[in-house]
Amino acid sequence: MPRFVDSPLPPVRTSAPMKIYTRTGDDGTTGLLGAARVRKHDARVEAYGSVDELNAALGVAVAFDSERWLAADFARIQPALFQVGAELATTDETMLQKLARVSDDDITALEGVIDRLENDLPPLTKFILPGGSALAAHLHLARTVCRRAERRVTALSEQAHVDVRVVKYLNRLADLLFVMARWANHRAGVPETTWPA
């Protein structure tokens, strides 16, 4: 199976050692999953690149979750984001059918985590300024990256087919990251800063 070339996403099932540089992107193009090559600023690259950035932002949040309060949730979300990225990087329908993809069950699972965490929180009556504990601050940052990824994906959907579940997953994940940030502050005993105060 072909692998990504000059891409932020990892290769797909290759037994050959991965070479870090290939020089194939020196002309300003990048390879998709399949034979296609596009410019590095292509809407598809912007979409899966933003999802990759989101996953990296979550990796920072994972590092700051020293008590592993949300470790099980992160362990499900990060691989799902790789699935989303791979799906967005694929234009070949045959290859697309072979990929693991986010499902309605994955979206429902995010909603379940939102409900679980919200049960521990006081009702939201004002806007919350991003910040608080280090973990919460990084979750807020990941939320904003998630919203950007969502915007990039919806922009791509105006040019090419995007499974609606990808948009739903990112939308629900941004909601979850907001709740996670609130919950992390609550669990750490750090008061939220509201606006207006």
Side-chain angles (χ1 to χ4, degrees):
M1 181 177 289
R3 66 184 185 90
F4 293 106
V5 178
D6 189 38
S7 164
L9 297 172
V12 176
R13 290 192 192 129
T14 179
S15 57
M18 289 173 43
K19 191 167 178 69
I20 298 302
Y21 63 89
T22 63
R23 298 190 178 100
T24 56
D26 291 350
D27 63 353
T29 66
T30 190
L32 300 177
L33 182 53
R37 291 192 70 79
V38 295
R39 300 296 295 173
K40 290 188 177 186
H41 57 270
D42 185 86
R44 186 171 296 279
V45 181
E46 286 286 349
Y48 73 68
S50 295
V51 171
D52 186 46
E53 186 180 352
L54 167 59
N55 217 342
L58 277 178
V60 176
V62 169
F64 277 89
D65 186 14
S66 57
E67 301 296 324
R68 297 183 55 79
W69 290 335
L70 300 167
D73 301 312
F74 290 141
R76 286 188 299 272
I77 294 166
Q78 287 196 285
L81 287 175
F82 261 86
Q83 292 175 350
V84 168
E87 180 173 346
L88 292 170
T90 305
T91 56
D92 183 297
E93 189 61 33
T94 303
M95 296 186 81
L96 190 60
Q97 297 308 316
K98 296 177 182 177
L99 293 176
R101 298 160 76 180
V102 291
S103 66
D104 292 330
D105 289 342
D106 294 313
I107 297 162
T108 300
L110 294 180
E111 292 170 350
V113 180
I114 291 171
D115 293 343
R116 184 189 87 219
L117 298 179
E118 279 197 318
N119 284 337
D120 291 341
L121 294 173
L124 186 63
T125 59
K126 295 182 179 180
F127 289 105
I128 303 294
L129 297 182
S133 68
L135 174 57
H138 284 291
L139 287 165
H140 275 299
L141 181 59
R143 170 185 57 81
T144 65
V145 176
C146 188
R147 288 298 185 200
R148 174 157 27 93
E150 183 183 11
R151 293 192 301 271
R152 297 293 188 265
V153 169
T154 58
L156 174 62
S157 72
E158 293 183 355
Q159 304 174 17
H161 173 73
V162 174
D163 191 316
V164 68
R165 287 171 293 194
V166 169
V167 178
K168 286 182 179 179
Y169 187 85
L170 292 173
N171 186 30
R172 211 68 81 252
L173 178 56
D175 294 337
L176 172 57
L177 292 170
F178 175 76
V179 172
M180 281 181 162
R182 290 195 69 214
W183 184 89
N185 276 336
H186 182 73
R187 181 76 183 260
V190 176
E192 294 177 315
T193 303
T194 60
W195 182 87

